[in-house]
Amino acid sequence: RVLALAADGTPLAWGSPTEVLARGRDALAAAGVWLPDDPLPALPPAGPRTGSGEPLLAARGVDFAYDPAVPVLVQVDLEVGPGERVVLLGPNGSGKSTLGRLLVGLLRPTAGSVRLAGRDPARLPPSVAARLAGYVVQDPERGFVGATVADDLMAGLDPAERGRAEDVAVALGLPLARFGARNPYTLSGGEQRRLSLAAQLVRRPRLLVLDEASYGQDRRGYAALVELLAEQVDAGAAIVAATHDLRLAGDVGRRVVRLTAGRVEAERAA
């Protein structure tokens, strides 16, 4: 049996899968429910690489290990130019999340180097690093810094960024009039992930690193996510997205880097 709920929590459809799809497909689609064999409308296409010369991001010969006896990354090389969309694929434990943290300076490589706009991201002052690189964590509740949604979204923003905050929140389905006073930990998993994304997008960083950004999103939330990412790229930002979601990889990526056991196994155009 299938029970489908509307956005306000009221029952939208109830019955066997066949009955629910036969009677309520249009209502389910309008509510943002993913449906079998129902592709999304055409999304903004990804543009070609817009950068030239020196890359925005360069990781060269990167090794990393939390335990010296257990290497996590081995001799990883990665360059990303302005406006590029790069997707990291690989099984659990392949090093995707660790590489993402290294790229934004949350970790330092055991060997090799990472340079963001020619500088070591791990040595940048937080106020500078936050505007060069944004990082959307896989577990968003680990990144909340405010007691309310509004506090979390506004933390550390300058006046111009504060002026954009409401528009970004609305675009991601988190209007502050409704959500601003709520505790971030009371949000659903999908809402928490969109809040963590909004807190990075509002700063318009030059590099945006995403870890499973599409997890827990309904059809409508996913479409908003991809459209906002396309706008960031159009403005010259680069995106590196670690994911298991092949739909996201196809909609966002223009280069695919596959990691296996901490090594770059393959790289190809998406």
Side-chain angles (χ1 to χ4, degrees):
R1 308 292 284 179
V2 173
L3 171 62
L5 300 178
D8 62 1
T10 58
L12 191 62
W14 165 253
S16 71
T18 300
E19 292 168 343
V20 167
L21 289 174
R23 294 197 307 260
R25 174 178 285 271
D26 290 344
L28 293 173
V33 176
W34 289 106
L35 297 173
D37 303 318
D38 183 19
L40 281 168
L43 294 169
R49 177 172 179 166
T50 59
S52 61
E54 287 298 313
L56 171 64
L57 174 72
R60 296 189 173 96
V62 169
D63 293 350
F64 183 83
Y66 298 99
D67 177 342
V70 185
V72 176
L73 295 172
V74 181
Q75 289 296 292
V76 170
D77 293 318
L78 179 67
E79 289 191 357
V80 182
E84 282 200 279
R85 302 180 179 194
V86 178
V87 172
L88 305 178
L89 297 180
N92 289 335
S94 61
K96 301 187 302 297
S97 295
T98 297
L99 179 57
R101 296 186 189 108
L102 285 160
L103 298 181
V104 299
L106 294 178
L107 296 172
R108 289 183 176 178
T110 307
S113 66
V114 176
R115 292 294 180 266
L116 177 61
R119 304 169 71 179
D120 181 350
R123 296 181 179 274
L124 292 174
S127 60
V128 175
R131 286 161 180 82
L132 272 177
Y135 180 58
V136 179
V137 299
Q138 184 171 4
D139 301 310
E141 64 274 11
R142 294 185 177 183
F144 297 142
V145 297
T148 68
V149 167
D151 289 343
D152 192 82
L153 181 58
M154 299 292 184
L157 300 185
D158 62 30
E161 292 164 345
R162 284 177 170 267
R164 295 195 296 265
E166 174 65 14
D167 290 342
V168 173
V170 169
L172 287 171
L174 298 170
L176 296 183
R178 177 182 172 191
F179 289 91
R182 289 182 59 178
N183 186 308
Y185 295 97
T186 68
L187 301 178
S188 72
E191 290 166 345
Q192 288 183 341
R193 198 166 299 270
R194 295 201 300 277
L195 175 57
S196 67
L197 180 65
Q200 302 304 322
L201 288 177
V202 73
R203 291 179 169 85
R204 295 180 178 173
R206 295 177 64 186
L207 170 70
L208 189 61
V209 178
L210 313 171
D211 198 347
E212 298 296 353
S214 62
Y215 181 81
Q217 301 307 309
D218 64 12
R219 190 176 187 271
R220 187 176 297 153
Y222 178 89
L225 163 67
V226 174
E227 186 169 354
L228 282 171
L229 293 180
E231 291 175 3
Q232 295 287 307
V233 173
D234 288 343
I239 291 175
V240 176
T243 188
H244 291 286
D245 184 348
L246 296 183
R247 180 192 292 270
L248 183 72
D251 286 338
V252 170
R254 283 303 173 266
R255 284 170 56 202
V256 173
V257 176
R258 182 173 293 277
L259 295 175
T260 301
R263 297 178 181 270
V264 175
E265 177 188 49
E267 181 173 342
R268 61 175 175 80

